[in-house]
Amino acid sequence: MSNYKDEVHLKVQEKIYPPEDIVKRAWIKDYDEVYKRSIEDREGFWAEVAEELHWFRKWDKVLEWNFPYAKWFVGGKTNITYNALDRHIKNGKGDKIAYIYVDEDGNEEKVTYSELLEKVNALANGLKRLGLKKGDRVSIYMPNSIEAVVSMLACARIGVIHSVVFAGFSEGALHMRIDDAKASAVITATYTKRRGRKIPLLPTVEKAIKDLDYIKNVIVWDRDKEGVTDKDDKYVDLNRLIEENKGECSPEEMDSEDPLFILYTSGTTGKPKGVLHTTGGYMVNTYYTAKIVFDLHEDDIYWCTADIGWITGHSYIVYAPLTNGVTSVIMEGVPVYPHPGIWWEYVDKYRVNIFYTAPTAIRMLMRFGDEIPAKYDLSSLRILGSVGEPINPEAWHWYYEHIGRKRCVIVDTWWQTETGSHMITTIPSYPMKPGKAGKPFFTIEAAVVDKNGNELPPNTVGYLVIKNPWPSMLRTCWGNPERYEKYWKEIDNVYNADDLASIDEDGYIMIVGRADDVLSVAGHRIGTMEVESAIVEHPDVVEAAVIGKPDPIKGQKIKAFVVLKVGVEPSDQLKKEIQNTVREILGPIAIPEEIDFVDKLPKTRSGKIMRRVLRAQELGLEVGDLSTLED
Ligand code: WT7
């Protein structure tokens, strides 16, 4: 659509073949053959995968597709925590390490599958004692930690729906998410560690729930044993709850379609949507994509650097590595502290085989120079993953050469909170094209279409759509089925991902970016209207419009155009205040780096802000059709 995208296109022609030993070891060696089979019998394909996992009762029917509502493994009963924990323990793997937790200070904590189950059972018992039951919602606002994993699994054990909120969000974002889900309890910690500092979490929870009288309990991981839960019966100490409720907790026999979790994600409106995932299909799809795309084997050490607060953390830190029974590294902290080689130090130390991160992190680490990773022994690595935004060929090559040392494969996995698991990627045995995500995963039919659903010729940018239901697709938006139906009804009865993409002659898909007003800042998905709503909370602001500007490291940075109240003088001080307002409401990731004070904003006659006009002006692009502009 715009010129710079065409340029990127031309550069992305090269094909890189995977090393022989990786192909030899791969679960699946012939993508094309398996893909063809998977499309011919989609349901048979997924049934075969589902057989690898444990069901208390087998399903009667693989798929019931009642457009746009899908039910997978209908009539089946299972529990994802049984498949994540008990199953391995029964197979004699109880003493295997499930997680190696590390932080910025070099602290380390290991937990085996048996120990993890013990904690999960105890906390699940504790949650029951507090009166929580199947179908209730619990919000989790926690550091990236074993305690967070235990909290999520304890909910899943007893059928409580968890709603994890990224601990980098502030009070307003947290309040909205707790209130929309009507959570009965919140699980949190006194603080999280970041760049050598302790960032308080409990005070943010307290502010967020001030008026929410339906919150019965706040369960706190009191990290420094300060006794913060002594003040009030509503507050419960997480570790005490675990200590006092040790013992078996038999897993709730969940219907395949019983909800597992809600995860809020940004869209075009001011209010994020609560994406709902259910049990059976999510379990099968995440398990299998991790197994095939990361080519997980019994003895693998796996590290996904995401945060549990995002879907990447849910699917590929918590559920899929556990259902696959591997050992995972989980880190609390940032990639550059205490030094910009910390990730490579840990890859070396723990002999990590599969490493999964985001392009924004790669671009940031690239800046520190090739000498940094060169200091470490990275020979254990086999598979490198990328997720969250398009990976530019330059970053791809750096990752491939300086981290993978040309002995690894890169899997560039395209997917979304809504899709639950990987949708487009290459698998390790398949040739890669730097800058192009790859091909649809098994059973997935993807296309690039125009607004009416007509397929576009190769190398033409259009809307990326998925033509069929898949097991881990979102089932609805919490409390907002109309919003859910929109995904399938906007473009010709196919799933509209709201991403722009193109497909080349070989069928490789290149993702260009979002088609809607959603920003991607350091891989974080942020709605323009969410930021605008936060800005106008400042008493001197009348109106605001927000756009994304290209940023060499973060992908995009936020720029705001702000209209002030009559008589208010623009100033740098005011800019800082506005930035602080956004920080307090949404969190540091949503702060507009640039602010312009303007007299008015371009709008349609019906009063909608035309962000694309601002974007075009700012970036020197063509403005396009202006017929709806008010004046
Ligand atoms: C959006 C979804 C799903 C994990 C993290 C993000 C962008 C995701 C890629 C990729 C290009 C990507 C898309 C998508 N995206 N992966 N490999 N290449 N773009 O989840 O917060 O739901 O965001 O992230 O724009 O729509 P999310």
Side-chain angles (χ1 to χ4, degrees), residues 7 10 151 220 415 474 511 571:
E7 276 167 40
L10 292 173
S151 303
V220 190
W415 58 295
L474 79 163
I511 313 295
S571 67

Side-chain angles (χ1 to χ4, degrees), residues 63-84:
L63 170 65
E64 210 174 276
W65 180 224
N66 196 347
F67 179 87
Y69 292 98
K71 287 184 180 166
W72 283 89
F73 306 108
V74 186
K77 290 205 182 293
T78 187
N79 187 297
I80 197 165
T81 69
Y82 186 93
N83 280 292

Side-chain angles (χ1 to χ4, degrees), residues 30-216:
D30 190 342
Y31 164 84
D32 293 309
E33 194 265 321
V34 176
Y35 180 75
K36 189 165 163 276
R37 193 155 49 84
S38 79
I39 293 294
E40 284 161 8
D41 181 12
R42 187 171 285 132
E43 293 176 32
F45 185 91
W46 284 116
E48 223 172 88
V49 175
E51 295 280 3
E52 294 179 27
L53 297 165
H54 181 84
W55 298 77
F56 303 125
R57 182 187 186 277
K58 201 183 158 171
W59 57 91
D60 304 311
K61 211 172 160 207
V62 178
L63 170 65
E64 210 174 276
W65 180 224
N66 196 347
F67 179 87
Y69 292 98
K71 287 184 180 166
W72 283 89
F73 306 108
V74 186
K77 290 205 182 293
T78 187
N79 187 297
I80 197 165
T81 69
Y82 186 93
N83 280 292
L85 303 169
D86 310 57
R87 193 166 59 95
H88 306 307
I89 295 163
K90 289 210 158 68
N91 290 335
K93 295 203 305 184
D95 291 336
K96 184 172 177 176
I97 307 286
Y99 289 100
I100 306 168
Y101 162 91
V102 287
D103 69 7
E104 312 174 317
D105 312 315
N107 294 314
E108 173 197 284
E109 191 190 324
K110 291 181 178 166
V111 62
T112 66
Y113 274 87
S114 295
E115 289 163 348
L116 191 58
L117 178 59
E118 219 172 275
K119 284 178 197 253
V120 168
N121 274 336
L123 182 57
N125 285 330
L127 296 179
K128 275 190 185 166
R129 273 239 330 249
L130 294 174
L132 288 157
K133 52 181 194 317
K134 184 174 171 185
D136 289 348
R137 277 82 54 211
V138 165
S139 294
I140 297 176
Y141 186 67
M142 287 282 267
N144 218 32
S145 56
I146 293 170
E147 284 73 5
V149 177
V150 170
S151 303
M152 292 165 72
L153 295 176
C155 290
R157 189 80 174 167
I158 58 172
V160 163
I161 305 170
H162 59 69
S163 167
V164 181
V165 182
F166 173 55
F169 278 127
S170 300
E171 158 195 354
L174 178 60
H175 171 91
M176 180 261 130
R177 285 162 176 75
I178 295 174
D179 195 35
D180 191 77
K182 296 283 176 294
S184 328
V186 181
I187 307 179
T188 189
T190 37
Y191 59 83
T192 182
K193 292 188 267 190
R194 209 181 147 81
R195 290 178 183 272
R197 288 189 304 140
K198 291 178 179 175
I199 314 284
L201 297 180
L202 180 58
T204 308
V205 171
E206 290 180 313
K207 279 185 252 163
I209 64 168
K210 224 174 19 230
D211 316 315
L212 307 181
D213 45 18
Y214 49 82
I215 305 273
K216 292 195 201 80

Side-chain angles (χ1 to χ4, degrees), residues 215-458:
I215 305 273
K216 292 195 201 80
N217 292 107
V218 179
I219 302 161
V220 190
W221 175 26
D222 188 355
R223 300 184 74 170
D224 295 339
K225 303 199 170 53
E226 298 167 81
V228 292
T229 56
D230 298 343
K231 56 185 162 192
D232 186 332
D233 282 352
K234 185 169 170 173
Y235 291 83
V236 180
D237 184 289
L238 178 78
N239 280 323
R240 209 177 303 147
L241 196 61
I242 291 176
E243 270 320 300
E244 290 171 358
N245 290 283
K246 287 237 162 99
E248 273 290 306
C249 172
S250 54
E252 182 78 35
E253 296 202 358
M254 301 284 281
D255 191 278
S256 180
E257 281 301 329
D258 278 336
L260 177 62
F261 66 84
I262 303 168
L263 184 58
Y264 287 85
T265 191
S266 297
T268 32
T269 64
K271 197 176 167 184
K273 35 199 174 184
V275 166
L276 183 80
H277 283 289
T278 57
T279 304
Y282 177 83
M283 172 177 81
V284 171
N285 211 156
T286 50
Y287 158 78
Y288 189 65
T289 46
K291 175 175 169 177
I292 301 307
V293 175
F294 299 138
D295 198 44
L296 294 181
H297 291 263
E298 177 87 24
D299 295 324
D300 277 333
I301 310 288
Y302 163 90
W303 183 9
C304 167
T305 68
D307 189 282
I308 49 116
W310 308 106
I311 191 69
T312 310
H314 282 60
S315 299
Y316 298 108
I317 294 178
V318 182
Y319 290 112
L322 291 177
T323 51
N324 277 281
V326 298
T327 297
S328 294
V329 174
I330 181 169
M331 181 179 174
E332 179 181 10
V334 298
V336 292
Y337 187 90
H339 61 83
I342 186 73
W343 279 5
W344 319 129
E345 184 184 315
Y346 285 147
V347 166
D348 183 345
K349 180 170 179 191
Y350 297 110
R351 309 311 299 150
V352 172
N353 308 113
I354 298 116
F355 183 76
Y356 191 30
T357 195
T360 184
I362 297 165
R363 289 191 298 262
M364 177 163 68
L365 293 171
M366 259 170 85
R367 267 194 331 169
F368 291 94
D370 310 346
E371 327 74 77
I372 306 243
K375 284 193 267 188
Y376 301 95
D377 175 1
L378 305 182
S379 61
S380 58
L381 289 172
R382 203 170 74 241
I383 315 259
L384 302 174
S386 175
V387 62
E389 52 183 317
I391 178 162
N392 49 306
E394 199 197 349
W396 195 101
H397 280 286
W398 190 81
Y399 200 24
Y400 184 70
E401 280 157 38
H402 296 281
I403 307 306
R405 316 259 158 97
K406 297 192 180 174
R407 290 178 294 90
C408 298
V409 294
I410 294 184
V411 288
D412 176 4
T413 59
W414 177 88
W415 58 295
Q416 308 177 297
T417 305
E418 293 89 336
T419 71
S421 30
H422 302 152
M423 299 293 279
I424 295 168
T425 175
T426 49
I427 62 173
S429 58
Y430 207 71
M432 307 156 262
K433 288 193 184 186
K436 291 188 175 173
K439 303 226 167 167
F441 192 72
F442 304 130
T443 75
I444 302 297
E445 282 184 89
V448 169
V449 301
D450 66 17
K451 277 201 165 114
N452 303 315
N454 304 308
E455 286 194 29
L456 297 171

